Amino acid sequence: MGMFSLSHLVGSRKKMKKQKNAAAQSFGHLTAGAENDTTDNQQEQNAAVLIVSDEQPEAPKKHSRSHNVAVSEEAAESPALAVHLLRETDLSSKKIRARLRDEPEYLSKFTVKYMEDNDPTWEFLDDEERVRKAFQVSAQNGDINGYTTARHQAVQALKKMEEPLTQEELKALIARTADMMNAANPNTTDNAEARQKADEEYQRDMEKAAEKLKSAYKETGIDLRG
């Protein structure tokens, strides 16, 4: 039976083992670098983790109707109407958001009274025209009709309705922050571990391939050493 050295074909296992150890050692400084990283992304990830600290309010299982409206884009566009509908109706958050998309802004009683008393055209304007006119008077006269003040107070009222993140939202936030970290910094712990895992899988595949090759040669009468 012919004798050949397996190392001539795929390299010796001893060499492969050394390469594996060297690769593992090379990941050490990458991991250490990740631990010492003080970039903005690292700080952002740390901030996300701090959200779950004991000092934070207990996370709700699900959000209330008020919260769902308060954090919506529709409420940001029409805060006074959002507060009005939350306080004066029993509509679901979904229906309130639909109305916020379709209806003109809500004007406070103070603003309406001022405009009624001081604008002779007021009674002839439609709702959208009244909003534009109230905004114009506010902008040109130091918010004399209270339009801007009322809008600001509505925004503050909505802020008070916001609730802590749920457990699922916390997990999603931390996951997104980690993804941002890994995309921006190749030396994070996650990235270093991923490279090490890939290297280990590659080495195992190489060893299996070498055994398969050795077996195939043996069946043809040639014994590969090593």
Side-chain angles (χ1 to χ4, degrees), residues 175-190:
R176 287 196 303 271
T177 305
D179 288 342
M180 290 172 57
M181 269 281 297
N182 293 330
N185 181 5
N187 295 333
T188 62
T189 301
D190 287 345

Side-chain angles (χ1 to χ4, degrees), residues 18-31 196 199:
K18 287 182 178 179
Q19 291 173 338
K20 181 177 179 180
N21 291 337
Q25 292 174 357
S26 69
F27 290 113
H29 78 277
L30 295 181
T31 305
Q196 183 173 359
D199 180 74

Side-chain angles (χ1 to χ4, degrees), residues 110-147:
F110 180 91
T111 298
V112 171
K113 186 176 187 308
Y114 178 89
M115 297 303 295
E116 287 176 341
D117 293 343
N118 294 277
D119 188 340
T121 69
W122 186 255
E123 63 180 305
F124 304 107
L125 303 177
D126 62 31
D127 290 342
E128 291 185 355
E129 290 172 333
R130 287 181 174 183
V131 171
R132 288 195 294 270
K133 191 63 176 291
F135 169 75
Q136 183 181 32
V137 170
S138 172
Q140 295 177 350
N141 298 278
D143 196 35
I144 194 171
N145 62 358
Y147 169 85

Side-chain angles (χ1 to χ4, degrees), residues 4-5 23 30 33-34 38 45-46 54 61 65 69 100 113 116 128-129 152 154 169 175-176 183 186 195 198 205 223:
F4 288 85
S5 172
L30 295 181
T38 57
Q45 185 181 42
N46 292 341
D54 293 338
K61 293 182 179 180
R65 158 181 173 269
V69 172
L100 292 176
K113 186 176 187 308
E116 287 176 341
E128 291 185 355
E129 290 172 333
H152 174 73
E169 289 171 333
R176 287 196 303 271
R195 289 193 293 270
D205 291 343
D223 186 16

Side-chain angles (χ1 to χ4, degrees), residues 37-46 177 181:
D37 185 271
T38 57
T39 63
D40 291 340
N41 283 329
Q42 179 69 55
Q43 294 171 355
E44 184 173 359
Q45 185 181 42
N46 292 341
T177 305
M181 269 281 297

